[in-house]
Amino acid sequence: AAFPLGSTHPRYLYLASNQSNKWGHPRGYRIQTLSFAGEPLPQNSSMERAFSWGRYQLAVTQRKEEEPSSTSIYNLNDPWTPTVDFTDFINNETVAGQDLVAWVTAGFLHIPHAE
């Protein structure tokens, strides 16, 4: 499940489990995205693949040991052929009944101004 930048998405995303918590309620996580920094680079930029996590406000994928983070510090050294390209994580695999990772892009954009 991936929600690209600028697309409509639900107010809440609820990731549910068939298990119950200690109070007998279904286990799960509710994610509400309110803050987003905006597109770091346009997709037609030759360096955008190094920042491809910025295409998504929220993405939910299967948890994999070989996908520990959405980017790498080494992406800055060669953004044209990045070490980690987040778009490779979005591959239409099923998430039902799997261990999941919610990749949430949140924050703000700060551009210094003279005033």
Side-chain angles (χ1 to χ4, degrees), residues 78-91:
D78 187 5
W80 303 276
T81 54
T83 305
V84 176
D85 182 353
F86 185 71
T87 57
D88 293 340
F89 295 14
I90 311 299
N91 55 14

Side-chain angles (χ1 to χ4, degrees), residues 47-66:
M47 297 185 296
E48 192 273 341
R49 286 183 52 224
F51 307 96
S52 61
W53 51 265
R55 295 181 190 180
Y56 304 95
Q57 284 190 278
L58 171 68
V60 179
T61 64
Q62 287 184 16
R63 185 188 180 287
K64 296 182 181 127
E65 289 292 328
E66 63 273 12

Side-chain angles (χ1 to χ4, degrees), residues 111-115:
I111 300 174
H113 294 268
E115 64 274 3

Side-chain angles (χ1 to χ4, degrees), residues 14 17-28:
Y14 181 67
S17 170
N18 292 331
Q19 307 291 325
S20 296
N21 64 18
K22 66 180 180 180
W23 300 286
H25 294 281
R27 296 183 82 159

Side-chain angles (χ1 to χ4, degrees), residues 5-112:
L5 173 65
S7 69
T8 58
H9 59 279
R11 182 175 179 167
Y12 300 104
L13 179 68
Y14 181 67
L15 306 174
S17 170
N18 292 331
Q19 307 291 325
S20 296
N21 64 18
K22 66 180 180 180
W23 300 286
H25 294 281
R27 296 183 82 159
Y29 296 93
R30 182 177 69 174
I31 299 171
Q32 181 180 10
T33 55
L34 295 174
S35 173
F36 189 67
E39 185 178 37
L41 286 173
Q43 282 191 30
N44 62 359
S45 168
S46 62
M47 297 185 296
E48 192 273 341
R49 286 183 52 224
F51 307 96
S52 61
W53 51 265
R55 295 181 190 180
Y56 304 95
Q57 284 190 278
L58 171 68
V60 179
T61 64
Q62 287 184 16
R63 185 188 180 287
K64 296 182 181 127
E65 289 292 328
E66 63 273 12
E67 296 174 350
S69 64
S70 61
T71 190
S72 168
I73 61 170
Y74 302 110
N75 282 8
L76 295 174
N77 295 336
D78 187 5
W80 303 276
T81 54
T83 305
V84 176
D85 182 353
F86 185 71
T87 57
D88 293 340
F89 295 14
I90 311 299
N91 55 14
N92 294 324
E93 62 194 0
T94 183
V95 295
Q98 302 293 321
D99 288 337
L100 302 177
V101 177
W103 306 94
V104 181
T105 303
F108 65 94
L109 179 62
H110 173 68
I111 300 174

